[in-house]
Amino acid sequence: MTTVEKHSLTALARTQLEGARSSSTGRSARTVYGGHEHQLRQTVIALLEGQVLDEHESPGEATLHVLGGRVRLVTDEVSWDGAPGDLLVIPPARHSVEAVKDSTILLTVVKSA
């Protein structure tokens, strides 16, 4: 018998945003699916306005789906703004993510083999 896991991204985003507001770092995250034992990993991340996920390498193919707020994906050469409903394909370059407003995002990563 096959089982299906169901998660409310809306509820999880709300919970993570509450966590970010009560955190000294202004951020909160929870892996929804995957982890170290899987190639695919999906994580809901909340960032308060002005917070940044510092520049880093992408561990593989990745997308960023904006659930709420406004974010900016930045590389050395260009930046892209994301609003609710936008899906940004993360380039295979060093990048950072800035919260232009209090934001929640779904980060999906497929680790390189």
Side-chain angles (χ1 to χ4, degrees):
M1 186 163 131
T2 304
T3 61
V4 173
E5 289 183 43
K6 179 181 175 184
H7 301 275
S8 169
L9 294 180
T10 302
L12 187 53
R14 185 174 46 249
T15 300
Q16 293 311 302
L17 198 52
E18 289 169 5
R21 288 183 176 130
S22 65
S23 170
S24 62
T25 64
R27 64 175 82 173
S28 180
R30 178 167 170 240
T31 298
V32 179
Y33 177 81
H36 299 294
E37 66 280 359
H38 297 277
Q39 285 186 306
L40 175 68
R41 182 177 63 232
Q42 293 182 292
T43 305
V44 172
I45 302 169
L47 299 168
L48 297 185
E49 182 177 334
Q51 294 299 314
V52 177
L53 294 178
D54 292 330
E55 187 176 79
H56 58 280
E57 297 287 341
S58 179
E61 292 183 76
T63 61
L64 187 154
H65 178 185
V66 183
L67 302 172
R70 296 208 181 267
V71 297
R72 182 169 294 127
L73 176 63
V74 180
T75 68
D76 282 341
E77 300 176 4
V78 68
S79 67
W80 301 267
D81 288 340
D86 288 347
L87 181 71
L88 303 175
V89 177
I90 299 173
R94 291 187 63 78
H95 61 277
S96 62
V97 178
E98 305 170 359
V100 178
K101 293 185 174 183
D102 289 0
S103 301
T104 52
I105 57 177
L106 175 66
L107 175 65
T108 300
V109 176
V110 177
K111 293 185 274 185
S112 300

